[in-house]
Amino acid sequence: MKKSIILIIAALLVLASCSDFTPKAPYEYADDGTWEGIFSGFWHGMNENYVFWNVDDTDWDGVYRKYMPLFRDLGEYDNEDTSEDAARYFYDIVSGLSDGHLSVTVNLKNSMFEGEVEKFSIAPGYIRLAKQNGKTDEAIFEAIYGNNEFGSNLLQLLPPEVMRENTRNILSYVYGLRFTKGTGSEIRDEILSHSDYTNSEGKTVLLYSNGHASGETVSKDWGKVKYYPVSDVLGDNPSINDCFSSWTLMIVLSTSRSSSDKNAYSTTIESMAFAGITKNHGNTIPGIVYTTFSNFMFAGLIRSDYTKAGTYGYLSDFHDYKADPSVKGLVVDVRGNTGGYNLDREYLFGDIMKEKHQFGYQRSKMGYNRLDFSALLPVYIYPEAGNLQAIYGSSDATHLYDKPFAVITNCYSVSNAEMAAFLAKSMPKGCQIGGTTFGAQGTLAGDYLDMNAGSFTVGDYISQVYTPFAQVVDINGVSHEGKGCVPDIEVPFNKDDFEDGTDSRLQSAFDWVKSAIED
Amino acid sequence: MSLVPFCCSITEAWYLEITRQCYWNPLFPIIEESESGWYSYPIIWRIMMRKTIIAVMLLFLSSMAYASDSPWSIGLAAGYSNASVLQNEGYRIDTDYISGHGFSISIPVRYDVNGYFAVETGLTYIQKNFRLRKIGRESTSSFTMTQDQINGFVEIPLSCCFSISNGMASATASFGPYIGIWAHSYRVEKPYNSSKGLGGEGSGDIAAGFHSFTAADNRFEFGFLFSAGMEFDFTSSILFIRGMYDISVTDLAASYQIDQVESHNSTFRVEAGLRLPIGGRR
């Protein structure tokens, strides 16, 4: 009897765990200036603030057990000879993680130039794409180690569609618009000459529309909207006016100091958005609203008075196309779209919603431990016609809600572009066409102290761990983080055909809309 | 024979009064969000409350007609609980746990060893509710994330009791371990919503429902219980009222990671009840 009681008490004490672990901010672990401390800060920062532990296959405790002794053996951070080993360890740890947004920037002592620090950035989303393109870890590590400009070497290892299949090239190859001089990369002078409305961030919004072909300034409630001559962007044999009865194009120029000459400025085309109503031409069926845009940039441009009017002008034109009662469907092309502001979902699609429309769920981190998650919170796109009445007027675009809604994606459709795929899969008549998306579907804001999870640093040693504060999963509660959204209709990318102006993914989208209209 | 419908009508009136009041009465815990930001009881708890009140009244009335003398006694008690979570705060200085209101129902079983000492066990249902709150920042404004947990535990205590009697009244104190099972967890969560409308729609959205336990949860609880109170011996029954405190040694989460941050329940309770002797001499 006495033995039994002792055994029961012993069992209870074993079950009753007692730990006095007190969490510290990640940078505090690295105060001692050793690789062991830096790794410990990174490991704990990820342990407590990374939000994909319930979908990530990585054995994070196993990582601790394996790499802690290795980093301990590296000794002091200040020893330049340890940089490459440390870089490789971090590469091996990070490259297999699911988070598509994740980017870890380790500042390494330069082994060639004493006193200099080199940034070594590891982004598992890009590494995953390079591996899909048949590249090995060795080749990828070699491409990014010792390369301050993250991505410039790595981009060469990615599938061809990453750099080619995007809004700018779709408009160039398929519809005959031209933004550069000849075959080079220098922007046409006609475009560069317009910088009347540059905001404090060096951004200029240029608006072109075949409804204002000669270029004119239109007074609207929200300001003067200047349309530039469409000849500025037409190529030698444009087909755009053959394919669209009405179209509008927004170009965002970005001017910044040249990296080579601090006294010089350089201007690039940062973003682009296009919308139009198709007409009967070739295999295209008439009466479809088609839109393509390079990223979700509208909310940021609306914040500045200098870029707000042009942005509202574009959104107003896009809304008018959607509100045309004769249009039969919507094709949203997010190939090469790198994501951006969540609010842009409201600007772009809120006017077709009759009621708030659920497209997925958000899962947030609540506590310190890896699996301390909230329940799934439904996420919606809200009916925005009322909120945007000053811009949209009284025209109603909600008739499109029940009509075919196609989203074209590729492997470089990232973040909010993937939310467009979630939207397609949740609409009454929706379809995702093209390629599997990038697999970066979390939502970002602030840092781990502001949001209870997400981005953090490990002092100056790891200057950035860029990661979302919450997951977003699809309408069925399934996470596609690190895997991407698989299209309903998969269409392979053909580089040669695409550059010759034959866009099989776009054609498949129009074909699907046609069949969906007939159903 | 006519007592039961009479009791039912009385308790029904009590119940209606309680549920009508529970939107403002801090003694009654809360689930659905009200204007004040707290939450009102779901219907299941209201039904349980009604049945408990009926059972207590029937037990009390039946005891009036029954007298015995036995070292064993069994009873029924109900009370109010106030729980919080003990956790190392760490670097998240804007995150805290706020204690929550709940209730308890227990069936105490006691064996009187002699005039001073007794051993008590039984079965207890107790709510250990709390709110996790985080003040976050977004650009220039702040926001509040919350997670309200309505946690029900079924526990078996084993206490050593000491009492000093002065005729009819006794002062009692007890101490002992308990084991329990985390039976259910109802959660109302208001995280920061990243998907808002242009007019701010959705910023107050909540997710509510019963939590599906996973391997990350530790549903076994072990801890220690302390109590002090008064007992009144009415020949045929013993009326008691006592204050109790229990603290869990076990973590609310299963042990699944290196450097786990532990959470422990810490619960105050005030309960009143009635015990009846079971056969033999008391």
Side-chain angles (χ1 to χ4, degrees), chain A residues 9 12-13 15-26 28-29 43-45 47-49 60-62 64-65 342-343 345-347 356 359 362 364-380 382-384 387-388 443 445-446 448-453 469-470 472, chain B residues 87-95 97 132 134-139 143 145-147 177-179 187 189-209 211 214-216 218 220-222 224 249-251 253-264:
Chain A
I9 291 171
L12 290 173
L13 289 175
L15 286 166
S17 53
C18 275
S19 157
D20 58 354
F21 174 69
T22 301
K24 295 193 287 186
E28 292 181 75
Y29 292 92
W43 188 89
H44 283 92
N47 198 50
E48 289 150 21
N49 299 296
W60 197 237
D61 282 358
Y64 187 90
R65 292 188 193 98
N342 289 349
L343 269 185
R345 301 194 295 250
E346 306 297 317
Y347 284 118
K356 66 179 183 180
F359 64 92
Q362 177 186 313
S364 301
K365 190 86 192 302
M366 301 306 285
Y368 276 115
N369 295 329
R370 284 207 291 269
L371 300 177
D372 286 344
F373 288 111
S374 73
L376 293 174
L377 179 77
V379 286
Y380 303 96
Y382 295 87
E384 298 291 2
N387 288 327
L388 294 170
T443 182
Y448 71 118
L449 294 174
D450 294 335
M451 309 302 296
N452 226 25
F469 75 91
V472 181
Chain B
Q87 187 186 77
N88 272 329
E89 188 183 50
Y91 56 84
R92 288 183 179 162
I93 54 172
D94 294 328
T95 303
Y97 287 91
L132 169 62
K134 155 82 182 171
I135 310 290
R137 274 164 295 280
E138 177 196 24
S139 302
F143 60 88
M145 290 165 57
T146 56
Q147 182 190 62
Y178 71 90
I179 56 170
R187 297 183 180 182
E189 296 171 295
K190 195 179 91 171
Y192 174 80
N193 187 355
S194 65
S195 300
K196 288 178 281 212
L198 294 173
E201 299 90 340
S203 52
D205 281 4
I206 59 168
H211 170 65
T214 67
N218 176 21
F220 170 79
E221 189 174 51
F222 168 69
F224 293 98
V249 176
T250 47
D251 186 2
S255 179
Y256 63 82
Q257 65 170 61
I258 292 171
D259 285 347
Q260 184 152 316
V261 180
E262 294 189 357
S263 308
H264 300 273

